[in-house]
Amino acid sequence: MQLRYNFRLYPSAGQRESLARAFGCARVVFNDGLRMRQDARDAGLPYISDGDLSKRVITQAKKTPKRAWLGEVSAVILQQALADLNTAFRNFFASVTGRRKGRGVAPPRFRSRKDNRQSIRFTKNACFAITAGGRLRLPKIGDVPVRWSRPLPSDPSSVTVVKDACGRYFASFVVETSAEPLPETPDEVGIDLGRTHFAVLSDGRKIGDPRFLRRAAKKLRKAQQALSRKQKGSANRKKAVVRVARAHARVADARRDWAHKQSTTLIRDNQAVYVEDLCVSGLGRTRLAKSVHDAGWSQFVAMLEYKAARYGRYFGRIDRWFPSSRLCSACGTVATSMPLDIRSWSCPCGAVHDRDVNAAINILAAGQADRLNDRGARVGPGPVPAPRGEAVTHPKPHTRQTGISIH
């Protein structure tokens, strides 16, 4: 199982200059390769292979006066920049031909020196190392101080150095780890993600929405207003841009830390976790877009997914068209409609439901039903759900157990 471990870097002034040079060289190689393939397509020439492209934009380019400065950085980061370009092209072709499922992938585009995020990647071939003093030794950059928040479980196979919009540097290590199964527990939980509360659990507990972006709106507005008053191209405008970026970074860091804590608690306390497969990208285009993005549902669900795989738990997604809110968890009757302003409703059978709690109970039952094999035997611990009433007209909900995707 591969995981990423991120740590803060504190390069010196000279090392920051070397990193800026490395970022620029990797960006130029990526853009040169993309431009060469686009020119070949426009001229009706065959697609340039990966090996031939590497010779042209790296090996031969270093011998020309125009690109001689490419030799000032490690050749590995240049090769990795081309590897990213090749991966982008393969994903685009697979999406166009239908081999890649899901949303369409756009063709690769040119990288800009004004991008908010700059990165380079070193592999084992670059001979990067962690010194005895705890520093990260990078070729042609030097020994960079690292703030270690936890030890690495194994030797990293690669490290990506990232500079974010507010000027912070991070080292992202890819390490191979083994599963760490937690003690089994009979508890299982269904989770209904919502707008009134961040999450409502099938046992009736409600997790409030911290709304980090809403709470920081005043500071963000003042920082953005100060930025708008600065003259374009001035030094003060550059400082104001960094202040706005830092304000947004504080919001993102707080949201990520909170999501880690909540997801770890849910995975630790439950043997199986079921969530609804929400279309977050679609909700992000509605009038609720700001609240949807502030909640960070996709990030939270991704954490549940990879932590479940790591700690020996089961993770399941319920089909997004499953009527969890309209389905009575007591008798199985499906209501005709359920506007968002209705937070509680009564079923003809006499049951009175809290909309969100009822949805979480139905998500739990649907997930448990899918884990029953063809013979009706239970797969893994947990109670068997009660049979549904005859009034249910929707098809059997579908859940799927997914692998790890944390890169």
Side-chain angles (χ1 to χ4, degrees):
M1 181 186 304
Q2 285 188 338
L3 294 178
R4 281 193 178 273
Y5 283 66
N6 297 326
F7 302 94
R8 182 77 179 270
L9 296 180
Y10 293 91
S12 63
Q15 291 170 344
R16 288 196 296 269
E17 183 178 350
S18 299
L19 286 171
R21 187 183 302 112
F23 292 144
C25 291
R27 181 179 63 250
V28 167
V29 167
F30 183 95
N31 291 342
D32 286 349
L34 177 57
R35 186 178 298 106
M36 190 169 293
R37 278 182 172 160
Q38 287 183 348
D39 293 342
R41 181 198 60 190
D42 295 339
L45 300 176
Y47 180 80
I48 303 176
S49 65
D50 297 351
D52 191 17
L53 188 67
S54 177
K55 292 179 182 179
R56 295 189 190 183
V57 301
I58 297 180
T59 307
Q60 297 176 2
K62 287 181 180 180
K63 301 177 182 179
T64 63
K66 188 178 179 180
R67 292 287 188 264
W69 37 265
L70 290 177
E72 299 177 3
V73 301
S74 173
V76 172
I77 63 176
L78 306 181
Q79 294 289 349
Q80 291 302 308
L82 273 189
D84 293 338
L85 176 64
N86 298 331
T87 300
F89 269 111
R90 284 194 294 270
N91 292 337
F92 169 65
F93 293 145
S95 177
V96 171
T97 57
R99 295 193 305 271
R100 181 187 176 98
K101 305 302 180 182
R103 297 179 61 183
V105 178
R109 61 182 183 179
F110 292 101
R111 292 180 176 178
S112 172
R113 57 194 293 264
K114 297 181 180 180
D115 286 344
N116 292 333
R117 184 181 183 275
Q118 302 285 343
S119 66
I120 52 176
R121 185 168 64 252
F122 297 88
T123 61
K124 279 291 187 180
N125 295 335
C127 298
F128 71 90
I130 300 173
T131 65
R135 298 195 173 198
L136 177 60
R137 180 168 295 168
L138 300 175
K140 297 189 178 182
I141 294 176
D143 296 349
V144 184
V146 185
R147 184 170 183 176
W148 300 100
S149 57
R150 50 182 172 172
L152 291 174
S154 62
D155 293 335
S157 59
S158 68
V159 59
T160 303
V161 180
V162 180
K163 180 186 178 183
D164 64 6
C166 54
R168 299 181 300 179
Y169 293 85
F170 294 92
S172 178
F173 296 94
V174 176
V175 297
E176 192 74 26
T177 63
S178 58
E180 303 174 8
L182 293 173
E184 290 191 359
T185 174
D187 298 328
E188 298 186 2
V189 67
I191 304 175
D192 177 62
L193 301 174
R195 186 170 57 91
T196 305
H197 295 85
F198 176 80
V200 178
L201 309 184
S202 55
D203 57 9
R205 290 181 294 164
K206 296 183 178 182
I207 301 175
D209 191 349
R211 302 188 179 185
F212 294 104
L213 183 62
R214 299 281 186 180
R215 286 160 50 186
K218 185 176 180 180
K219 292 183 179 179
L220 290 170
R221 183 168 56 251
K222 291 179 65 176
Q224 191 65 49
Q225 288 174 348
L227 171 62
S228 65
R229 299 189 187 102
K230 301 298 186 291
Q231 184 178 359
K232 292 186 177 180
S234 64
N236 285 336
R237 183 176 178 86
K238 294 180 181 179
K239 296 177 183 178
V241 169
V242 173
R243 282 193 290 268
V244 172
R246 286 176 179 172
H248 280 284
R250 282 193 291 268
V251 172
D253 292 344
R255 183 188 297 116
R256 187 183 308 108
D257 178 71
W258 184 85
H260 269 298
K261 293 176 180 178
Q262 296 297 330
S263 59
T264 299
T265 300
L266 290 171
I267 292 297
R268 183 186 62 235
D269 298 341
N270 298 278
Q271 187 66 30
V273 176
Y274 307 97
V275 297
E276 197 169 9
D277 186 17
L278 295 175
C279 182
V280 178
S281 60
L283 293 172
R285 295 191 294 269
T286 65
R287 60 184 178 86
L288 304 176
K290 189 172 183 178
S291 297
V292 169
H293 292 307
D294 191 12
W297 290 333
S298 295
Q299 181 185 60
F300 175 73
V301 172
M303 291 179 182
L304 288 175
E305 186 175 358
Y306 89 80
K307 290 179 182 180
R310 182 181 184 186
Y311 297 115
R313 302 310 199 199
Y314 182 89
F315 176 83
R317 292 179 187 264
I318 306 301
D319 187 83
R320 67 183 57 170
W321 304 113
F322 174 61
S324 58
S325 298
R326 298 186 292 113
L327 178 65
C328 176
S329 58
C331 67
T333 301
V334 180
T336 55
S337 64
M338 191 72 60
L340 287 176
D341 59 341
I342 298 178
R343 308 315 302 173
S344 62
W345 59 285
S346 300
C347 181
C349 70
V352 179
H353 298 293
D354 179 286
R355 176 194 181 103
D356 299 327
V357 175
N358 177 69
I361 294 174
N362 288 327
I363 290 173
L364 171 63
Q368 291 176 339
D370 191 72
R371 294 186 66 191
L372 296 174
N373 59 19
D374 296 336
R375 297 180 180 179
R378 185 64 182 165
V379 181
V384 177
R388 292 296 184 191
E390 297 297 331
V392 180
T393 58
H394 59 82
K396 177 184 175 182
H398 175 69
T399 62
R400 57 186 177 90
Q401 186 176 15
T402 57
I404 304 175
S405 179
I406 59 176
H407 291 290

